């Protein structure tokens, strides 16, 4: 037999959609040896998902490209609800804010998925040698389970096939308008067909074997990786078909530049999404395909769905207003069920994320956002394990944290679909119809969920919630953790900085130069843990003494800062120690703080970017971060924030032991890490 070329990689990613790209992006930040392959010859250029929720924008900002999405996108500020009046004519019945005011420094925007993929590609390229390898797909996968717990092992063996250009560019039909049928799941899945085609094609006949430590299946709703693992999605047996039309509309409908949910009396409903470049997207639920038990769903006749059919539907719903177009940018018929996987990984070695593990309707604009957030959750964990910083046990928190989100999403989608697609009730006796009041309430509630801000991860070794009640997360045996060692937060010290949730942002001033910063801007996604000391009013001797006591312990030989930082690396390569105090700025200087909070570098002097103050700025008001977080300046607190901005722990300022115990429960001392990873970590994570 011919020996195939063989290579080793730390992480292999299959699929370069949003979920796969976010994963590669994290790997680029940690300097992890990674390959990312996609069977398609190109990225997508228009259409598909477009809504970016405010949490997603916060994440983009933490990677340094939030401003690109913010400036190119269309901003959605208001939702208008249109419903039939007593004579059956549609009227605007309500206006509500699109993003709940005050929940984030960003609001929901829309920009097509192709641009988002571009931002990721640029970001990955700027940080690493990782490049998406297009026209490459796996054809064989094996996991040696006996090696699953060995940190040095490469238990995954994958055979990759390089496709020819023709294979990687499936026929898009010869329509003049780009359409989503290219990657649509309405057309039969072409993975099998590609597999067959390549076996006959001599030109593209290169195979190679890759051994990997970890693997991600981010290969979309029809995931090949999921199939190989024998994992399934559970959920409703109904598939909905959505018509999606991206046009520059010519219309007399007054709210066409608002996000609208329009229910007609008897012609169905349409969701209007105003887009970038004068575009407007219309979403219409076209049909439902009922599934017969476990049998395949009734085949939808694709030829019956055309842009004209979608437009005519919209015209009926919008009547008496008129709508037409001359320019259509993209359209698709998008078939989707509401399903979620029971198991998100095989032995915490091969993981599934994004559409590969949950599918739902496009209405709430969640597909891309939740998929991105899956791997935003997973990426830093895998990278930390590969580098030897963290124990493999943290990988269990991926499923315990994300499966609940996926389940909530499916539940939300279920409720919302019915309300969106149902016919409005004619009167209170009309039980078949849906109540407009219920729809509005669901919309308002749904907005909080959809924003991504409401995510609240349960107790685990990396989320030290208060109280004895240990939430039994999915697949996560927290009860096994020794309770006497378990670190427990005191949420009352920062009532609105919730353990398990993402860190909200308010302005603070740099103590040394008075510049205002949004606190989140200091929490870049660079792989570091943040230990934030809210030292309180340090002009009061008691507060100052607490801060000093903590400083002494942190600076002492053998403190966790030292144990988990590679010798010779920058002190802040694993932990970024930040201080926010509440004494008057002009009466304070960084020299009032223990040196560990403002470290000295013999080549660069003091670090002026570690100490901040809650005070009035010259031009941007007073951020009131203590008040907004519910922290008493006379008491203060110490906070641990994960590399993905979620709050892990809140405790007293000078409880050094709790901080140490928290990190000791899952981190590996630098002296025990594999040598090659140690040197890489020094290079990549040090500023
Ligand atoms: P995907 O974006 O599907 O990416 C998967 C990637 O894996 C693709 O690049 C694919 O080529 C690759 N791949 C698949 N199989 C293999 C294999 N065997 N080997 C190698 N590579 C493979 N969401 C909305 O919110 N609104 C919309 O209007 C909307 N419209 C959509 C229209 C279409 C046609 C589709 C397919 C999806 C649409 N979505 C929409 C959903 C949204 O695009 C997804 O939720 C989101 O892209 C999920 O990201 P992902 O990375 O998990 O998967």
């Amino acid at each position: 037999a011919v020996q195939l070329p063989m290579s080793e990689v730390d992480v292999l990613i299959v699929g370069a959609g949003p979920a796969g790209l976010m994963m590669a992006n994290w790997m680029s930040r940690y300097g992890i040896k990674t390959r990312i392959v996609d069977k398609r010859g190109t990225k997508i250029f228009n259409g598909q998902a477009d809504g970016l929720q405010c949490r997603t924008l916060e994440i983009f900002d933490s990677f340094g490209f939030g401003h690109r999405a913010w400036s190119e996108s269309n901003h959605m500020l208001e939702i208008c609800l249109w419903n039939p009046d007593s004579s059956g004519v549609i009227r605007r019945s309500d206006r509500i804010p699109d993003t709940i005011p005050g929940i984030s420094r960003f609001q929901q925007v829309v920009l097509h998925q192709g641009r988002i993929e571009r931002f990721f590609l640029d970001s990955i390229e700027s940080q690493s040698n990782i490049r998406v390898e297009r026209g490459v797909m796996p054809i064989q996968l094996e996991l040696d389970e006996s090696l699953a717990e060995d940190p040095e092992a490469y238990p995954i063996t994958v055979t990759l096939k390089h496709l020819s250009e023709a294979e990687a560019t499936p026929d898009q039909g010869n329509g003049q308008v780009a359409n989503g049928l290219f990657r649509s799941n309405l057309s039969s899945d072409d993975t099998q067909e590609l597999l067959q085609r390549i076996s006959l094609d001599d030109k593209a006949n290169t195979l190679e074997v890759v051994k990997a430590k970890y693997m991600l299946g981010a290969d979309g709703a029809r995931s090949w990786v999921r199939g190989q693992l024998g994992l399934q999605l559970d959920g409703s047996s109904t598939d909905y078909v959505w018509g999606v039309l991206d046009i520059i509309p010519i219309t007399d409908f007054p709210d066409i530049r608002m996000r609208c949910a329009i229910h007609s009396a008897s012609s169905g409903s349409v969701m209007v999404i105003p887009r970038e470049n004068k575009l407007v997207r219309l979403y219409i639920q076209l049909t439902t395909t009922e599934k017969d038990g476990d049998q395949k769903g009734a085949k939808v006749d694709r030829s019956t769905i055309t842009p004209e059919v979608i437009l005519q539907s919209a015209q009926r719903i919008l009547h008496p207003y008129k709508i037409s177009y001359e320019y259509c940018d993209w359209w698709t018929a998008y078939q989707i069920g509401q399903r979620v996987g029971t198991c998100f990984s095989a032995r915490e070695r091969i993981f599934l994320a994004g559409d590969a593990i949950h599918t739902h309707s496009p209405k709430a604009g969640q597909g891309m956002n939740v998929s991105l957030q899956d791997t935003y959750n997973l990426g830093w964990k895998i990278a930390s394990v590969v580098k030897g910083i963290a124990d493999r046990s943290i990988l269990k928190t991926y499923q315990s944290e994300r499966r609940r989100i996926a389940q909530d999403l499916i539940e939300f989608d279920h409720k919302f679909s019915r309300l969106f697609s149902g016919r409005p009730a004619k009167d209170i006796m009309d039980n078949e119809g849906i109540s407009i009041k219920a729809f509005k309430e669901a919309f308002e509630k749904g907005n909080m969920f959809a924003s991504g801000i409401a995510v609240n991860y349960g107790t685990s070794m990396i989320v030290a919630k208060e109280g004895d009640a240990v939430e039994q997360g999915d697949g996560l045996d927290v009860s096994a953790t020794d309770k006497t060692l378990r670190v427990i937060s005191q949420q009352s010290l920062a009532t609105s900085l919730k353990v398990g949730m993402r860190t909200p942002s308010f302005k603070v001033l740099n103590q040394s130069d008075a510049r205002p910063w949004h606190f989140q801007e200091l929490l870049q996604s660079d792989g570091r843990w943040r230990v934030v000391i809210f030292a309180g009013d340090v002009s009061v001797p008691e507060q100052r003494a607490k801060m000093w006591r903590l400083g002494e312990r942190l600076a002492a030989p053998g403190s966790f800062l030292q144990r988990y930082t590679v010798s010779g690396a920058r002190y802040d390569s694993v932990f970024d120690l930040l201080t926010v105090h509440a004494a008057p700025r002009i009466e304070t200087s960084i020299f009032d703080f223990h040196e560990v909070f403002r470290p000295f570098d013999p080549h660069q002097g003091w670090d002026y970017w570690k100490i901040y103050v809650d005070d009035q700025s010259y031009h941007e008001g007073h951020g009131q971060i203590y008040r907004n977080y519910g922290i008493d300046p006379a008491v203060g607190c110490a906070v641990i924030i994960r590399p993905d901005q979620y709050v892990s722990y809140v405790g007293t300022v000078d409880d050094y032991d709790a901080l140490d115990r928290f990190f000791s429960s899952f981190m590996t001392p630098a002296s025990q890490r594999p040598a090659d990873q140690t040197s890489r970590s020094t290079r990549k994570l040090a500023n």
Side-chain angles (χ1 to χ4, degrees), residues 14-20 37-40 48-50 113 117 136-138 180-181 183-185 191 218-221 224 244 281 283 330 332 334 353-356 362 365-368 371:
V14 179
V37 301
D38 197 294
K39 67 180 179 181
R40 299 289 180 224
Q48 262 181 252
D50 58 0
Q113 193 173 323
E117 292 183 9
V136 179
M137 67 191 280
L181 304 176
R183 276 205 333 196
S184 169
N185 43 16
T191 302
D219 49 349
W224 177 87
V244 189
R281 171 170 286 193
Y283 274 119
W330 183 82
T332 193
Y334 178 47
D355 279 10
Q366 292 291 289
M368 178 162 59
S371 299

Short mmCIF file of all heavy atoms in Angstrom, two decimals, residues 14-20 37-40 48-50 113 117 136-138 180-181 183-185 191 218-221 224 244 281 283 330 332 334 353-356 362 365-368 371, ligand 1:
data_model
loop_
_atom_site.label_atom_id
_atom_site.label_comp_id
_atom_site.label_asym_id
_atom_site.label_seq_id
_atom_site.Cartn_x
_atom_site.Cartn_y
_atom_site.Cartn_z
N VAL A 14 -12.87 21.56 10.96
CA VAL A 14 -13.55 21.25 9.70
C VAL A 14 -14.71 22.22 9.55
O VAL A 14 -15.65 22.22 10.36
CB VAL A 14 -14.07 19.79 9.68
CG1 VAL A 14 -14.78 19.50 8.36
CG2 VAL A 14 -12.91 18.82 9.88
N GLY A 15 -14.65 23.06 8.52
CA GLY A 15 -15.70 24.04 8.27
C GLY A 15 -15.22 25.45 8.60
O GLY A 15 -14.78 25.71 9.72
N ALA A 16 -15.28 26.32 7.59
CA ALA A 16 -14.83 27.70 7.79
C ALA A 16 -15.99 28.68 7.69
O ALA A 16 -15.90 29.74 7.10
CB ALA A 16 -13.73 28.05 6.80
N GLY A 17 -17.12 28.30 8.27
CA GLY A 17 -18.22 29.25 8.46
C GLY A 17 -17.93 30.02 9.75
O GLY A 17 -16.82 29.96 10.29
N PRO A 18 -18.92 30.75 10.26
CA PRO A 18 -18.68 31.55 11.47
C PRO A 18 -18.09 30.75 12.63
O PRO A 18 -17.13 31.20 13.27
CB PRO A 18 -20.08 32.08 11.81
CG PRO A 18 -20.79 32.11 10.50
CD PRO A 18 -20.26 30.97 9.69
N ALA A 19 -18.62 29.56 12.90
CA ALA A 19 -18.16 28.80 14.08
C ALA A 19 -16.70 28.38 13.92
O ALA A 19 -15.89 28.52 14.84
CB ALA A 19 -19.05 27.59 14.31
N GLY A 20 -16.36 27.86 12.74
CA GLY A 20 -14.98 27.42 12.50
C GLY A 20 -14.00 28.58 12.52
O GLY A 20 -12.89 28.47 13.05
N VAL A 37 -10.01 23.47 7.44
CA VAL A 37 -10.31 23.07 6.06
C VAL A 37 -11.80 23.27 5.77
O VAL A 37 -12.63 23.21 6.68
CB VAL A 37 -9.94 21.59 5.80
CG1 VAL A 37 -8.46 21.34 6.06
CG2 VAL A 37 -10.79 20.63 6.64
N ASP A 38 -12.10 23.54 4.50
CA ASP A 38 -13.50 23.70 4.08
C ASP A 38 -13.65 23.10 2.69
O ASP A 38 -12.79 23.30 1.82
CB ASP A 38 -13.89 25.18 4.08
CG ASP A 38 -15.41 25.35 4.06
OD1 ASP A 38 -16.05 24.98 3.05
OD2 ASP A 38 -15.96 25.86 5.06
N LYS A 39 -14.71 22.39 2.49
CA LYS A 39 -14.87 21.72 1.19
C LYS A 39 -15.15 22.70 0.05
O LYS A 39 -14.95 22.38 -1.10
CB LYS A 39 -15.97 20.65 1.28
CG LYS A 39 -17.36 21.17 1.49
CD LYS A 39 -18.37 20.02 1.55
CE LYS A 39 -19.77 20.55 1.79
NZ LYS A 39 -20.77 19.48 1.89
N ARG A 40 -15.63 23.86 0.40
CA ARG A 40 -15.95 24.85 -0.65
C ARG A 40 -14.69 25.56 -1.14
O ARG A 40 -13.78 25.83 -0.36
CB ARG A 40 -16.89 25.92 -0.09
CG ARG A 40 -18.19 25.37 0.37
CD ARG A 40 -19.02 24.94 -0.80
NE ARG A 40 -20.29 24.40 -0.36
CZ ARG A 40 -20.84 23.30 -0.86
NH1 ARG A 40 -20.21 22.62 -1.80
NH2 ARG A 40 -21.99 22.88 -0.42
N GLN A 48 -27.11 34.83 3.28
CA GLN A 48 -27.07 34.05 4.52
C GLN A 48 -27.30 34.93 5.74
O GLN A 48 -27.98 35.95 5.67
CB GLN A 48 -25.82 33.20 4.59
CG GLN A 48 -26.20 31.78 4.14
CD GLN A 48 -25.06 30.81 4.17
OE1 GLN A 48 -24.58 30.45 3.12
NE2 GLN A 48 -24.68 30.35 5.32
N ALA A 49 -26.76 34.52 6.86
CA ALA A 49 -27.09 35.24 8.09
C ALA A 49 -26.59 36.68 8.03
O ALA A 49 -25.60 36.96 7.37
CB ALA A 49 -26.48 34.52 9.29
N ASP A 50 -27.26 37.56 8.73
CA ASP A 50 -26.83 38.96 8.67
C ASP A 50 -26.94 39.71 10.00
O ASP A 50 -26.29 40.72 10.18
CB ASP A 50 -27.62 39.71 7.60
CG ASP A 50 -29.11 39.66 7.86
OD1 ASP A 50 -29.52 39.04 8.86
OD2 ASP A 50 -29.87 40.23 7.06
N GLN A 113 -23.10 37.79 6.06
CA GLN A 113 -22.15 36.84 6.61
C GLN A 113 -20.79 36.85 5.89
O GLN A 113 -19.76 36.60 6.51
CB GLN A 113 -22.79 35.45 6.54
CG GLN A 113 -22.11 34.40 7.33
CD GLN A 113 -22.91 33.10 7.33
OE1 GLN A 113 -24.14 33.13 7.38
NE2 GLN A 113 -22.23 31.98 7.27
N GLU A 117 -17.19 36.92 7.68
CA GLU A 117 -16.14 35.93 7.43
C GLU A 117 -14.85 36.65 7.03
O GLU A 117 -13.76 36.26 7.42
CB GLU A 117 -16.61 34.92 6.37
CG GLU A 117 -17.75 34.03 6.90
CD GLU A 117 -18.23 32.94 5.93
OE1 GLU A 117 -17.57 32.73 4.89
OE2 GLU A 117 -19.26 32.31 6.22
N VAL A 136 -10.86 21.29 0.56
CA VAL A 136 -10.28 20.15 1.29
C VAL A 136 -11.36 19.61 2.22
O VAL A 136 -12.01 20.38 2.93
CB VAL A 136 -9.06 20.58 2.14
CG1 VAL A 136 -8.49 19.40 2.90
CG2 VAL A 136 -7.99 21.23 1.26
N MET A 137 -11.54 18.30 2.19
CA MET A 137 -12.53 17.73 3.10
C MET A 137 -12.06 16.41 3.68
O MET A 137 -11.29 15.69 3.06
CB MET A 137 -13.88 17.57 2.40
CG MET A 137 -13.90 16.57 1.29
SD MET A 137 -15.42 16.71 0.33
CE MET A 137 -16.54 15.81 1.36
N PRO A 138 -12.52 16.12 4.89
CA PRO A 138 -12.13 14.85 5.49
C PRO A 138 -12.95 13.71 4.88
O PRO A 138 -14.13 13.89 4.57
CB PRO A 138 -12.50 15.03 6.96
CG PRO A 138 -13.58 16.05 6.96
CD PRO A 138 -13.40 16.91 5.76
N GLY A 180 -28.86 31.41 -2.50
CA GLY A 180 -28.38 30.60 -1.40
C GLY A 180 -28.50 29.12 -1.65
O GLY A 180 -28.14 28.32 -0.81
N LEU A 181 -29.01 28.76 -2.81
CA LEU A 181 -29.15 27.34 -3.09
C LEU A 181 -27.77 26.70 -3.18
O LEU A 181 -27.62 25.50 -3.02
CB LEU A 181 -29.94 27.13 -4.39
CG LEU A 181 -31.31 27.80 -4.36
CD1 LEU A 181 -32.03 27.65 -5.69
CD2 LEU A 181 -32.19 27.25 -3.24
N ARG A 183 -25.36 26.88 -1.00
CA ARG A 183 -25.06 26.18 0.24
C ARG A 183 -26.36 25.79 0.93
O ARG A 183 -26.39 25.47 2.08
CB ARG A 183 -24.24 27.08 1.19
CG ARG A 183 -22.81 27.01 0.88
CD ARG A 183 -21.82 27.32 1.97
NE ARG A 183 -22.14 28.19 3.07
CZ ARG A 183 -21.21 28.72 3.85
NH1 ARG A 183 -19.94 28.50 3.63
NH2 ARG A 183 -21.54 29.48 4.85
N SER A 184 -27.45 25.88 0.17
CA SER A 184 -28.73 25.69 0.80
C SER A 184 -28.93 24.25 1.22
O SER A 184 -28.49 23.33 0.55
CB SER A 184 -29.85 26.08 -0.15
OG SER A 184 -31.08 25.66 0.37
N ASN A 185 -29.65 24.09 2.29
CA ASN A 185 -29.96 22.72 2.69
C ASN A 185 -31.26 22.25 2.06
O ASN A 185 -31.78 21.22 2.40
CB ASN A 185 -30.01 22.60 4.21
CG ASN A 185 -30.72 23.77 4.81
OD1 ASN A 185 -31.43 24.50 4.12
ND2 ASN A 185 -30.56 23.95 6.11
N THR A 191 -22.33 16.24 0.21
CA THR A 191 -21.10 15.64 0.73
C THR A 191 -20.85 14.27 0.12
O THR A 191 -19.76 13.98 -0.37
CB THR A 191 -21.18 15.53 2.27
OG1 THR A 191 -21.40 16.82 2.80
CG2 THR A 191 -19.90 14.96 2.85
N ALA A 218 -17.27 22.02 12.64
CA ALA A 218 -18.08 23.24 12.49
C ALA A 218 -18.58 23.22 11.05
O ALA A 218 -18.50 24.20 10.33
CB ALA A 218 -17.25 24.48 12.77
N ASP A 219 -19.06 22.05 10.65
CA ASP A 219 -19.38 21.84 9.24
C ASP A 219 -20.87 21.90 8.96
O ASP A 219 -21.39 21.18 8.12
CB ASP A 219 -18.74 20.54 8.72
CG ASP A 219 -18.98 19.33 9.62
OD1 ASP A 219 -19.46 19.53 10.75
OD2 ASP A 219 -18.70 18.20 9.19
N GLY A 220 -21.56 22.78 9.70
CA GLY A 220 -22.92 23.15 9.32
C GLY A 220 -23.98 22.11 9.66
O GLY A 220 -23.72 21.06 10.25
N ALA A 221 -25.22 22.46 9.28
CA ALA A 221 -26.38 21.69 9.71
C ALA A 221 -26.33 20.22 9.30
O ALA A 221 -26.92 19.37 9.95
CB ALA A 221 -27.64 22.35 9.16
N TRP A 224 -20.84 16.41 8.58
CA TRP A 224 -20.23 15.09 8.31
C TRP A 224 -19.57 14.56 9.57
O TRP A 224 -19.67 13.38 9.90
CB TRP A 224 -19.20 15.25 7.18
CG TRP A 224 -18.45 14.00 6.83
CD1 TRP A 224 -18.83 13.04 5.93
CD2 TRP A 224 -17.18 13.57 7.36
NE1 TRP A 224 -17.88 12.04 5.88
CE2 TRP A 224 -16.86 12.34 6.74
CE3 TRP A 224 -16.29 14.10 8.30
CZ2 TRP A 224 -15.68 11.64 7.02
CZ3 TRP A 224 -15.12 13.41 8.59
CH2 TRP A 224 -14.83 12.18 7.94
N VAL A 244 -36.24 33.89 1.57
CA VAL A 244 -35.47 35.06 1.97
C VAL A 244 -35.09 35.82 0.71
O VAL A 244 -34.57 35.23 -0.24
CB VAL A 244 -34.18 34.66 2.73
CG1 VAL A 244 -33.50 35.87 3.33
CG2 VAL A 244 -34.45 33.61 3.80
N ARG A 281 -34.08 43.06 3.55
CA ARG A 281 -34.33 41.62 3.50
C ARG A 281 -35.77 41.34 3.91
O ARG A 281 -36.25 41.89 4.89
CB ARG A 281 -33.37 40.89 4.43
CG ARG A 281 -33.70 39.43 4.57
CD ARG A 281 -32.62 38.66 5.28
NE ARG A 281 -31.46 38.46 4.41
CZ ARG A 281 -30.46 37.61 4.67
NH1 ARG A 281 -30.49 36.89 5.78
NH2 ARG A 281 -29.46 37.47 3.85
N TYR A 283 -38.22 38.24 5.00
CA TYR A 283 -38.30 36.83 5.40
C TYR A 283 -39.76 36.40 5.40
O TYR A 283 -40.58 37.02 6.08
CB TYR A 283 -37.87 36.67 6.86
CG TYR A 283 -36.40 36.52 7.12
CD1 TYR A 283 -35.72 37.45 7.89
CD2 TYR A 283 -35.71 35.40 6.66
CE1 TYR A 283 -34.38 37.30 8.18
CE2 TYR A 283 -34.36 35.25 6.96
CZ TYR A 283 -33.71 36.20 7.71
OH TYR A 283 -32.39 36.04 8.00
N TRP A 330 -29.66 38.77 -3.59
CA TRP A 330 -29.53 37.37 -3.17
C TRP A 330 -30.90 36.89 -2.75
O TRP A 330 -31.74 37.67 -2.34
CB TRP A 330 -28.59 37.32 -1.97
CG TRP A 330 -28.25 35.97 -1.41
CD1 TRP A 330 -27.31 35.11 -1.89
CD2 TRP A 330 -28.81 35.34 -0.25
NE1 TRP A 330 -27.24 33.99 -1.09
CE2 TRP A 330 -28.15 34.10 -0.07
CE3 TRP A 330 -29.80 35.70 0.67
CZ2 TRP A 330 -28.46 33.22 0.96
CZ3 TRP A 330 -30.09 34.82 1.72
CH2 TRP A 330 -29.42 33.61 1.85
N THR A 332 -32.93 33.07 -1.17
CA THR A 332 -32.82 31.65 -0.90
C THR A 332 -34.15 31.11 -0.40
O THR A 332 -35.05 31.87 -0.01
CB THR A 332 -31.74 31.35 0.16
OG1 THR A 332 -31.47 29.94 0.16
CG2 THR A 332 -32.18 31.73 1.56
N TYR A 334 -34.85 28.47 2.48
CA TYR A 334 -34.03 27.97 3.55
C TYR A 334 -34.87 27.04 4.40
O TYR A 334 -35.89 27.45 4.95
CB TYR A 334 -33.54 29.21 4.32
CG TYR A 334 -32.70 28.98 5.53
CD1 TYR A 334 -31.64 28.11 5.50
CD2 TYR A 334 -32.97 29.67 6.70
CE1 TYR A 334 -30.86 27.93 6.62
CE2 TYR A 334 -32.20 29.51 7.82
CZ TYR A 334 -31.14 28.63 7.78
OH TYR A 334 -30.37 28.46 8.89
N ALA A 353 -19.91 22.30 16.95
CA ALA A 353 -20.36 23.65 17.29
C ALA A 353 -21.18 24.24 16.16
O ALA A 353 -21.09 23.80 15.01
CB ALA A 353 -19.15 24.55 17.58
N GLY A 354 -21.98 25.25 16.49
CA GLY A 354 -22.75 25.97 15.49
C GLY A 354 -23.89 25.13 14.95
O GLY A 354 -24.47 24.30 15.67
N ASP A 355 -24.20 25.33 13.67
CA ASP A 355 -25.32 24.60 13.05
C ASP A 355 -25.12 23.09 13.13
O ASP A 355 -26.08 22.34 13.01
CB ASP A 355 -25.47 25.01 11.58
CG ASP A 355 -26.23 26.32 11.41
OD1 ASP A 355 -26.46 26.99 12.43
OD2 ASP A 355 -26.58 26.66 10.26
N ALA A 356 -23.90 22.65 13.30
CA ALA A 356 -23.66 21.20 13.39
C ALA A 356 -24.30 20.61 14.64
O ALA A 356 -24.50 19.40 14.72
CB ALA A 356 -22.15 20.93 13.41
N PRO A 362 -34.51 31.24 11.08
CA PRO A 362 -33.65 32.43 11.03
C PRO A 362 -34.28 33.70 11.63
O PRO A 362 -33.62 34.73 11.70
CB PRO A 362 -33.45 32.62 9.51
CG PRO A 362 -34.66 32.02 8.88
CD PRO A 362 -35.14 30.93 9.80
N GLY A 365 -32.63 35.99 14.24
CA GLY A 365 -31.28 36.43 13.92
C GLY A 365 -30.25 35.81 14.83
O GLY A 365 -29.32 36.45 15.30
N GLN A 366 -30.39 34.52 15.10
CA GLN A 366 -29.52 33.90 16.10
C GLN A 366 -28.46 32.96 15.52
O GLN A 366 -27.46 32.68 16.17
CB GLN A 366 -30.38 33.11 17.11
CG GLN A 366 -31.24 34.00 17.96
CD GLN A 366 -30.40 34.80 18.93
OE1 GLN A 366 -29.85 34.29 19.88
NE2 GLN A 366 -30.27 36.09 18.67
N GLY A 367 -28.70 32.45 14.30
CA GLY A 367 -27.85 31.38 13.77
C GLY A 367 -26.38 31.70 13.86
O GLY A 367 -25.60 30.98 14.50
N MET A 368 -26.00 32.77 13.24
CA MET A 368 -24.58 33.12 13.21
C MET A 368 -24.09 33.51 14.61
O MET A 368 -23.00 33.13 15.02
CB MET A 368 -24.39 34.28 12.23
CG MET A 368 -22.98 34.77 12.14
SD MET A 368 -22.72 35.74 10.66
CE MET A 368 -23.87 37.08 10.82
N SER A 371 -23.72 30.46 16.92
CA SER A 371 -22.63 29.63 16.40
C SER A 371 -21.28 30.26 16.75
O SER A 371 -20.36 29.57 17.19
CB SER A 371 -22.76 29.48 14.89
OG SER A 371 -23.98 28.85 14.59
P1 LIG B 1 -21.99 27.22 8.31
O1 LIG B 1 -22.02 28.68 8.13
O2 LIG B 1 -23.00 26.40 7.62
O3 LIG B 1 -20.54 26.74 7.87
C1 LIG B 1 -20.20 25.40 7.66
C2 LIG B 1 -18.98 25.34 6.75
O4 LIG B 1 -18.55 23.99 6.70
C3 LIG B 1 -19.29 25.75 5.32
O5 LIG B 1 -18.34 26.67 4.88
C4 LIG B 1 -19.22 24.44 4.54
O6 LIG B 1 -18.72 24.60 3.21
C5 LIG B 1 -18.26 23.62 5.37
N1 LIG B 1 -18.47 22.18 5.28
C6 LIG B 1 -19.63 21.52 5.35
N2 LIG B 1 -19.41 20.20 5.25
C7 LIG B 1 -18.07 20.02 5.11
C8 LIG B 1 -17.25 18.88 4.96
N3 LIG B 1 -17.76 17.64 4.93
N4 LIG B 1 -15.92 19.07 4.83
C9 LIG B 1 -15.38 20.32 4.85
N5 LIG B 1 -16.14 21.43 4.99
C10 LIG B 1 -17.47 21.28 5.13
N6 LIG B 1 -29.24 32.52 9.39
C11 LIG B 1 -29.88 33.64 9.67
O7 LIG B 1 -29.83 34.09 10.82
N7 LIG B 1 -30.57 34.30 8.69
C12 LIG B 1 -30.62 33.83 7.41
O8 LIG B 1 -31.25 34.42 6.55
C13 LIG B 1 -29.96 32.66 7.09
N8 LIG B 1 -29.97 32.19 5.84
C14 LIG B 1 -29.30 31.07 5.55
C15 LIG B 1 -29.31 30.59 4.27
C16 LIG B 1 -28.62 29.46 3.95
C17 LIG B 1 -28.64 28.98 2.54
C18 LIG B 1 -27.90 28.76 4.94
C19 LIG B 1 -27.13 27.51 4.63
C20 LIG B 1 -27.90 29.24 6.23
C21 LIG B 1 -28.59 30.39 6.56
N9 LIG B 1 -28.61 30.90 7.85
C22 LIG B 1 -29.26 32.02 8.13
C23 LIG B 1 -27.95 30.21 8.95
C24 LIG B 1 -26.59 30.75 9.24
O9 LIG B 1 -25.90 30.97 8.05
C25 LIG B 1 -25.93 29.71 10.10
O10 LIG B 1 -26.65 29.60 11.31
C26 LIG B 1 -24.49 30.04 10.41
O11 LIG B 1 -23.76 30.23 9.24
C27 LIG B 1 -23.92 28.88 11.20
O12 LIG B 1 -22.54 28.93 11.20
P2 LIG B 1 -21.68 27.60 11.17
O13 LIG B 1 -20.28 28.05 11.13
O14 LIG B 1 -22.12 26.72 12.27
O15 LIG B 1 -22.08 26.81 9.85
#
